[in-house]
Amino acid sequence: MGRMLKKPKILTILIVLSLLSGCSQEYSYQDYSDDICKVVSGHYGWKSSLRQVQQEYTISPGLVLSVIFHESSFKAKARPPAKKVIGFIPWQSATAFGYAQIKNETWEWYKSHNPGYFQSRTQFSDSTKFVGWYYQVFLARLKKEAYSKAVSDADFYISYHEGIGGFLHQNWQQKDWLVKKAKRVDQLAQHYNQQLKHCL
């Protein structure tokens, strides 16, 4: 009986390893630009995560993916470049981390409203949920402030980068690089959504 029980365990291990090896597949810049379906389909659980976030938070999957692309280039353990102290000593002062580059204090704020076990900024599903949740917080705050202008995906990215208060105070209008980046996020989100119609 003992020997018979070992086979299912070995089979389970092989299945898990095959799934993990599939996630380690390399993708080209062209894939991320013109074949996002290939990337999403090649990662176990990404499709279901995007569908769930779209349904729960009414955010387009293309916008979620565009934010992640511009924040981390889909690198699970991405961090901002370390600054140099005295010109040559690397010093990591920023706490942004993971797929969605979420800061420590923002992550704790999110978890206080969304408690759960084993949540991690390096997990794609948790990162997509955070982006979706923040999107709804952003819209709710604009409604509370009686914000009357039409809101674009570029506006959301500016809020994501500057904070909702920063977006409302409009100090970002002086940051040409951020305005241009937000427009690229908007354009890529639309591009992704067109592609995702064929695979989500």
Side-chain angles (χ1 to χ4, degrees), residues 74-88:
F74 291 100
K75 293 181 176 67
K77 297 183 179 180
R79 291 184 184 276
K83 295 181 179 180
K84 299 294 178 86
V85 180
I86 320 177
F88 64 92

Side-chain angles (χ1 to χ4, degrees), residues 43-72:
H43 288 81
Y44 179 75
W46 281 27
K47 281 187 178 182
S48 58
S49 294
L50 289 169
R51 291 193 195 105
Q52 182 179 351
V53 169
Q54 182 180 24
Q55 183 176 5
E56 186 172 352
Y57 297 109
T58 65
I59 186 173
S60 75
L63 178 55
V64 175
L65 290 172
S66 184
V67 168
I68 289 175
F69 174 79
H70 283 89
E71 288 296 293
S72 69

Side-chain angles (χ1 to χ4, degrees), residues 154-190:
D155 292 329
F156 170 67
Y157 183 73
I158 291 170
S159 170
Y160 191 89
H161 193 277
E162 299 289 286
I164 300 172
F167 172 79
L168 290 169
H169 290 134
Q170 299 188 352
N171 298 329
W172 51 268
Q173 291 183 345
Q174 309 303 319
K175 300 179 179 180
D176 290 340
W177 65 269
L178 178 58
V179 173
K180 290 177 182 177
K181 186 175 182 180
K183 288 179 180 177
R184 292 197 298 270
V185 170
D186 192 334
Q187 291 168 355
L188 186 60
Q190 294 179 45

Side-chain angles (χ1 to χ4, degrees), residues 4 8 19 31-32 43 47 53 73 87 116 142 146 151 155 166 175:
M4 291 178 67
L19 290 173
D31 291 331
Y32 288 114
H43 288 81
K47 281 187 178 182
V53 169
S73 298
L142 294 189
V151 180
D155 292 329
K175 300 179 179 180

Side-chain angles (χ1 to χ4, degrees), residues 21-29 31-32 38-39 43:
S21 64
C23 291
S24 64
Q25 181 179 346
E26 294 294 326
Y27 298 94
S28 68
Y29 179 83
D31 291 331
Y32 288 114
K38 178 180 177 181
V39 178
H43 288 81

Side-chain angles (χ1 to χ4, degrees), residues 56-57 105-116 119 129-130 133-134 136-137 140 164:
E56 186 172 352
Y57 297 109
E105 60 271 25
T106 310
W107 184 240
E108 292 305 318
W109 173 45
Y110 166 75
K111 290 197 297 181
S112 70
H113 289 82
N114 300 272
Q119 292 174 318
K129 286 178 184 177
F130 172 83
W133 174 79
Y134 190 86
Q136 280 302 313
V137 171
I164 300 172

